Amino acid sequence: MKLFRPALLLALLPLLSACAGSPESLAKDLQSAFEKGDIDAVLALAQLDGTPSDLRYFMMDQVIDCGAADTACTASVAPLDEKFIKSLDGLAEQGMEAAIRPEGLIVLQIQQKDGQGSGKAQMPYAKVDGKYRLVAQRYTAAKLAEMRATTNQQILDKMLAAGIYDSAAGERRTDWKDTATELPADGGEPGQVLLRTSTALHAAVLANDPDAAVKSGDGFAQMVLGDKDYDGKPVALDVRKAKLRAQSMRFLHDVKVSGGWLRGDEAVLLVDAKDGIGWIRRGALFMSKSDGQWGISGKQLIGYPQ
């Protein structure tokens, strides 16, 4: 059974919300674009200036889900409800603000045709330059200034203070670094693997080549971009390309490692990189070694425009 995102997921992240002459025509155009799995058409109906890469990924991934043959998606217009308005007002606590105040919601109903799964996404809209579009939220100037002033060491300290899970002990350890060995400036073996796999993965993204992404050495790419799904059924090449495009929003490239620590088959690296929309992403990456291969298993990163 496919698990769909909670109803308010798109609302509780930095928000989404075609050039359309009315909210109803916007909903109609969006439904057509979602049903076709047409990422470009959906993006053309959204104002995403200042929107972080994670939110763009979620939107694009939803388009891919709706475009699947076993899924039906319908879009309709709804007023802003009290719960959604509260979520808007509460976003200031996350350092977010509405670039344009939403006028209403486009409600996307998602239904698996065999009846085994369903969900709902609420996407705010407003009139932008005389046309209705889905609208986005952005970081406040104060939040951007705060992130730019935060050092990678401070980000690492936050990760360590939250604790790193110790599978042997079955609990989080806040003393992880105390029993770890400091790595050289390039991050040693895990740092070199990270650099090699991220470079190969970015080349695959630029070439729009999911097969190359699978062969990049990145375990996550191998898992989600293969030519068969979790049930062993073939995945069409055009779908795999769409998935690669969506996932590329969050993939790191131009990675630079500035040090790290090693404890057994676990490592923490300090990194500076870029994401799929060219924003700076930096902080601490937690890596683990499984079946002889290093891979990213946790992140404590911040991201902001250059």
Side-chain angles (χ1 to χ4, degrees):
M1 180 181 78
K2 183 183 292 184
L3 297 177
F4 293 101
R5 298 179 188 84
L8 292 178
L9 176 58
L10 294 182
L12 297 179
L13 288 167
L15 293 176
L16 285 178
S17 191
C19 308
S22 70
E24 290 73 21
S25 61
L26 172 60
K28 181 180 178 181
D29 291 343
L30 281 168
Q31 178 170 322
S32 176
F34 271 101
E35 285 182 332
K36 294 176 182 176
D38 190 336
I39 291 175
D40 288 319
V42 172
L43 293 179
L45 297 170
Q47 172 59 267
L48 298 178
D49 292 350
T51 304
S53 57
D54 281 342
L55 182 57
R56 298 187 193 214
Y57 157 73
F58 283 120
M59 186 181 201
M60 295 164 74
D61 193 51
Q62 188 66 78
V63 178
I64 297 169
D65 282 347
C66 283
D70 63 351
T71 305
C73 292
T74 58
S76 60
V77 179
L80 295 172
D81 59 28
E82 183 177 350
K83 187 174 183 179
F84 194 91
I85 292 172
K86 279 188 175 181
S87 74
L88 284 175
D89 295 338
L91 282 168
E93 298 176 7
Q94 303 175 36
M96 303 297 296
E97 64 182 2
I100 300 171
R101 188 71 180 179
E103 298 176 23
L105 299 172
I106 300 296
V107 179
L108 187 70
Q109 298 281 356
I110 308 113
Q111 180 70 52
Q112 218 173 336
K113 292 180 180 178
D114 61 7
Q116 295 299 305
S118 64
K120 180 175 72 173
Q122 293 181 314
M123 303 177 288
Y125 71 82
K127 185 172 281 189
V128 182
D129 297 330
K131 297 176 181 178
Y132 284 99
R133 298 174 182 264
L134 300 179
V135 294
Q137 290 201 340
R138 64 191 179 194
Y139 288 119
T140 64
K143 183 64 175 180
L144 288 172
E146 173 191 317
M147 289 191 292
R148 289 189 170 104
T150 301
T151 67
N152 283 4
Q153 182 63 47
Q154 289 172 321
I155 299 171
L156 171 65
D157 291 343
K158 182 178 179 180
M159 171 190 267
L160 296 174
I164 293 178
Y165 184 75
D166 186 328
S167 57
E171 62 183 6
R172 287 186 172 275
R173 297 188 56 164
T174 57
D175 64 345
W176 185 93
K177 187 181 171 186
D178 297 340
T179 56
T181 301
E182 187 169 2
L183 290 167
D186 65 355
E189 181 185 358
Q192 292 161 21
V193 171
L194 175 65
L195 181 60
R196 183 170 63 251
T197 56
S198 62
T199 299
L201 187 56
H202 186 54
V205 169
L206 295 178
N208 194 22
D209 187 345
D211 288 323
V214 170
K215 296 175 183 176
S216 68
D218 184 282
F220 179 77
Q222 185 176 9
M223 179 175 63
V224 302
L225 298 173
D227 59 3
K228 291 183 175 59
D229 65 15
Y230 299 118
D231 297 321
K233 297 178 181 178
V235 181
L237 181 59
D238 61 337
V239 174
R240 296 173 65 210
K241 287 183 176 181
K243 287 184 176 182
L244 175 60
R245 180 181 178 186
Q247 293 290 349
S248 73
M249 297 293 98
R250 304 189 297 178
F251 289 154
L252 300 178
H253 64 94
D254 292 355
V255 177
K256 297 178 181 178
V257 179
S258 56
W261 293 264
L262 176 70
R263 183 176 180 273
D265 287 338
E266 299 174 339
V268 171
L269 302 177
L270 297 180
V271 301
D272 289 83
K274 295 179 183 177
D275 63 19
I277 58 174
W279 282 25
I280 298 295
R281 294 298 297 269
R282 60 182 181 82
L285 286 183
F286 183 72
M287 300 188 67
S288 57
K289 195 175 189 179
S290 178
D291 297 327
Q293 178 64 50
W294 285 100
I296 299 172
S297 52
K299 299 178 181 179
Q300 189 76 41
L301 301 176
I302 56 175
Y304 47 83
Q306 296 189 66

